[in-house]
Amino acid sequence: MKAVIISEYGSNEVVKITDVEIPEPKSGEVRVKVQAVGVNPLDWKIRDGAGQRMGMNLPIILGGEIVGTIEKRGADVVGFEVGDEVYGITSIGGFAEYAVATATNFARKPVNIDTIEAAAVPLGALTAWQALFDAAGLEKGQRLFITNGSGGVGSMAVQLAKAKGAHVTAMASGTNEAYVLGLGADAFVDHMKQTFEEIVHDMDVVFDTVGGETFRRALKTVKQGGFLVTVVAFPDDAERQHGFTVERVRCQPNTAQLAEICEMVEAGKLKGRVATVLPLDQVKEALEISRSGQARGKIVLAVAS
């Protein structure tokens, strides 16, 4: 099978499309014939060297957000049959014609969207779900501020929070105002024209997907006793001493949550945004687009059948 592999860390020059053996699923695993795979910042960060810091062993098949059909089951797999269309996330191995992962990393693909659209959903939706509900405990009637409501994670957060009944203030550039408000945001902040911490205050929950100086400024927008959750920053002890909770969340696979997300997509309450679709052999271009930060939605690699 064709797979996108790195055998050393570095720039795009280390990214190779290579023929490798089709992997065999072990007990509890499924082999998925990949149809589409989402491209995320973690992919080029692993390539650049984060893989070493994360304890990964070279060579590495990049990619971790996949949509496809179960082609083979390992022993002790329950809830899935060969031929089922699924979507979900893996740690690595997705930029390939076949991928093997634990069955509990997947759920049934929403039936009302195609494989390309489905590839724009699982990672962003799971990350937002776990940050807002599992970590911050967002509830109906609470006030939420999202530091980037137009990104892959932030756009999901807007929709999930509105479905929960929260009041949502979302920030982005002015060119994305109509899109963010169309997702259901109650208020919009243009970070290019407005100093957000002078406008936004006393929030029950703040969800940071930007990090850096934006994260530090966002500390000023949380009410006493509130909650700031980030998926990009690494809060230090000083940043935790503000009279509210500050926590970093990293997305974890979760079949039950993916199944609920699937139901929301099918009910029209949640949708992803595809920015660019490229074939697998243009993976280097996809990684560069992702690294530029200019994509307005998910970059998806279509894998030939």
Side-chain angles (χ1 to χ4, degrees):
M1 71 170 188
K2 300 289 186 183
V4 177
I5 291 181
I6 61 168
S7 297
E8 58 182 313
Y9 297 110
S11 60
N12 255 346
E13 285 69 26
V14 305
V15 178
K16 309 293 182 184
I17 299 179
T18 308
D19 284 309
V20 299
E21 291 186 5
I22 296 175
E24 288 295 322
K26 299 175 183 178
S27 178
E29 295 180 336
V30 293
R31 183 166 73 204
V32 175
K33 183 175 178 59
V34 180
Q35 296 169 311
V37 53
V39 179
N40 297 287
L42 182 60
D43 300 317
W44 54 261
K45 290 178 181 179
I46 289 174
R47 178 205 67 190
D48 286 357
Q52 184 175 29
R53 297 189 293 275
M54 295 166 67
M56 295 181 175
N57 295 317
L58 294 167
I60 297 170
I61 299 177
L62 298 174
E65 183 177 27
I66 66 176
V67 181
T69 303
I70 293 180
E71 195 258 353
K72 188 174 183 178
R73 302 190 315 165
D76 302 318
V77 170
V78 296
F80 295 103
E81 300 294 337
V82 171
D84 286 350
E85 284 193 300
V86 295
Y87 77 148
I89 61 174
T90 68
S91 56
I92 53 175
F95 289 175
E97 292 178 310
Y98 294 89
V100 164
T102 304
T104 52
N105 286 28
F106 300 103
R108 176 178 60 84
K109 181 188 82 68
V111 298
N112 61 326
I113 58 176
D114 63 25
T115 56
I116 298 297
E117 293 175 281
V121 175
L123 182 62
L126 266 184
T127 302
W129 184 293
Q130 292 170 8
L132 295 179
F133 305 142
D134 294 350
L138 183 70
E139 298 179 351
K140 180 179 180 180
Q142 288 190 316
R143 301 174 71 225
L144 168 69
F145 174 53
I146 303 169
T147 59
N148 182 7
S150 65
V153 176
S155 61
M156 292 294 182
V158 172
Q159 297 172 81
L160 290 171
K162 287 306 298 178
K164 189 74 170 181
H167 181 283
V168 178
T169 300
M171 184 165 68
S173 64
T175 56
N176 285 305
E177 181 174 3
Y179 171 66
V180 172
L181 292 175
L183 294 174
D186 299 285
F188 180 82
V189 178
D190 183 348
H191 71 83
M192 301 294 290
K193 297 180 179 179
Q194 298 167 294
T195 304
F196 73 86
E197 65 269 32
E198 295 180 357
I199 301 170
V200 181
H201 52 83
D202 295 323
M203 290 289 157
D204 296 291
V205 177
V206 172
F207 183 31
D208 170 50
T209 64
V210 179
E213 187 62 26
T214 297
F215 161 74
R216 288 184 284 274
R217 291 163 60 193
L219 293 166
K220 302 176 183 178
T221 67
V222 191
K223 77 174 188 180
Q224 292 296 294
F227 202 114
L228 187 153
V229 58
T230 179
V231 291
V232 286
F234 292 88
D236 60 30
D237 290 341
E239 291 163 340
R240 296 179 187 275
Q241 306 301 317
H242 290 276
F244 51 82
T245 303
V246 181
E247 184 175 329
R248 185 181 191 274
V249 169
R250 182 178 178 184
C251 181
Q252 301 295 328
N254 188 302
T255 289
Q257 291 173 355
L258 281 171
E260 289 191 60
I261 289 164
C262 173
E263 293 177 0
M264 293 184 68
V265 173
E266 292 177 339
K269 297 179 180 179
L270 191 67
K271 58 183 178 181
R273 185 186 195 186
V274 177
T276 305
V277 182
L278 295 169
L280 186 65
D281 61 10
Q282 293 184 30
V283 61
K284 291 184 180 182
E285 180 181 347
L287 291 170
E288 285 307 300
I289 294 172
S290 175
R291 187 167 190 172
S292 74
Q294 299 303 308
R296 296 174 66 180
K298 181 70 68 174
I299 305 158
V300 177
L301 294 174
V303 181
S305 59

